[in-house]
Each structure stands twice: as C-alpha cells, then as structure tokens.
Amino acid sequence: MASESANDGALLGHAQDCKTRGNAEYARADYDAAAASYTDGLEWLIDPVDESAGSAEPPVDPEAPSTPTEPAPDSPSEPIATVAPNPDAAPTPDAAPSTPDAASTPLSSPSDPSAPPPDPTELERKRYAARFRPAFRSLASVLLSNRAACHLQHQKYEETKSDCDLSLELDPKYAKAMLRRAKANEALTKLSDALADYQAALAIDGSLSEAREAARTLPARIKEQQEKEKEEMIGKLKELGNSVLGWFGLSTDNFKFVQDPKTGGYSVNFQQ
C-alpha cells in the first residue's frame, strides 16, 4: 500500500511538472509546445491496467454503432526542469484544484437498461475517463482544459470542444472548462449551447465577468439567429411550393402568412 501510494505521488509529480512546463510555454504564446506538454502530463496519469484489461470501461451495447478507439498519445519525454509561470499573466491556464472535489468521485453507473443506449461519442468519453484513477482525475481534468485553451488560441473550435467535453467528464463542475467550451460553441454559432455553458459556469463561479456578459447578450443573438433560420426555411418552402403550384397556375404569392402578435403563430389566407 505504501509503495503504491509513493508510485501515485511520483506519477502525479511527473504530470505536475508537465503542466508547469506547459503553463510557461503557454505564457510565451508557444501554444503547440504547451499542448504537447499537457498531453505528456496526461500520459503519466493514464492507468496501464485499464489500458490493457479495459475492466473499468462501461458496458457497450452490441447494437450501438462502433467508433474507433482514441489513440494513446506518444510516450512522454523525460520532464525537464520546471519553469514557474507568471501567476499574473493572463490568460495563463489553470492550476489543479487543491482538493479532488467532484473529479475524485467515480463515474456514474451505467444507465437504466430500459433506457436507449448512449450515443457513441458519450461512450468514448466514458471509456477515456475510465482510464484515470480517481486520485488522478482532478489533475487530468485541468490538463485537458488547458490543452483546450491551446486549441482555442489556434481557433480549432471542434478540438477545443472535444477536450472540454473530456475535462467535464472527469470533473462536471469545472467552470473554466465550461467557459472554454462556451467560447468554442459561440465561435461555431451554436449559440444556445454556448449560453447553457455560460450559465452553468456562472452558477458555479459568479465572478466570471466574461460569462456574465455573454449570458446577458446571447439571448438577443439567439432570437436573431432563430428569425434568420426561420426566414431561410420559409424561403426554401416557397421555392418548393412554387414548383408544385405552378402546375395549377398558382404561386405562393396567393397565400399570405399572417403572424399572431400574441402567440407568435402563423395563419394562412388565400387570395387571388
């Protein structure tokens, strides 16, 4: 037991060295090097027992679509001497929380067998999260979120979202991972998803001024986006309608859509 605890401490120390090195590289705007350092840190924390046996993986529905297994990153190089990042430099990625908090709790048990199977992407996230023992999940969540910050700097929004999803699988209450995923969703014009993440981050940490401002302005943008999408849909329906009604000497101009200001619904009136 003592030797296992000492080994865990050594692995955490190596991963922490990689995170410190990555933070220093991030502060120098060397985002590729920082992402590689965070990946090295994750490699130190992956449980080799779970890699080979896969016993911690949740059961897979045999009828669910199969997805490729996520490749393991390259073996980490020997950690170099650590460089202390400037704590005042913004936006320096985060330090690991001092206590495991939610990240130390095991993954939830498989869903009710009567419920529909989870989507393949969710299964992949759970498989990946299961490769980290509870004692390592807090730091692994920070490393994934920090790597997402590197992707965000390169405007790789899908990669940002993917790493934040994994980070939140390990620690569902990690506000900064929510904030980074919200920024990625906003850049991908998934405004409703972005708003949900900003609001969730604010519920955990009310001091996030960026999230507070986004939560204030996004509803109007979402409404504008929905109206634009509605107009595009009506335009396509009109084109389709004209192609059919033309055979009868009619067009969609013979049908007038009137919106009810109270309910927002539409009624259709025919006119010659």
Side-chain angles (χ1 to χ4, degrees), residues 245-261:
L245 293 172
W247 291 94
F248 303 96
L250 298 172
S251 74
T252 54
D253 292 334
N254 297 112
F255 300 88
K256 185 177 181 181
F257 290 85
V258 180
Q259 185 177 23
D260 187 333

Side-chain angles (χ1 to χ4, degrees), residues 101-185:
D101 207 19
S104 64
T105 57
L107 293 173
S108 58
S109 57
S111 15
D112 186 338
S114 63
D119 65 78
T121 303
E122 182 181 353
L123 285 173
E124 284 301 313
R125 288 199 302 269
K126 290 187 180 299
R127 290 192 187 101
Y128 186 77
R131 296 168 70 185
F132 298 95
R133 282 176 281 169
F136 296 165
R137 287 175 187 157
S138 179
L139 180 54
S141 178
V142 172
L143 288 166
L144 284 161
S145 179
N146 286 2
R147 191 170 69 179
C150 299
H151 295 320
L152 195 60
Q153 291 291 343
H154 284 309
Q155 300 181 357
K156 296 179 179 179
Y157 301 121
E158 290 292 352
E159 290 89 338
T160 301
K161 187 173 177 297
S162 178
D163 271 355
C164 288
D165 286 344
L166 292 172
S167 175
L168 290 166
E169 188 69 45
L170 291 163
D171 183 355
K173 295 185 180 296
Y174 193 19
K176 289 194 175 180
M178 293 176 189
L179 186 63
R180 286 162 184 159
R181 186 171 67 180
K183 291 178 181 179
N185 276 324

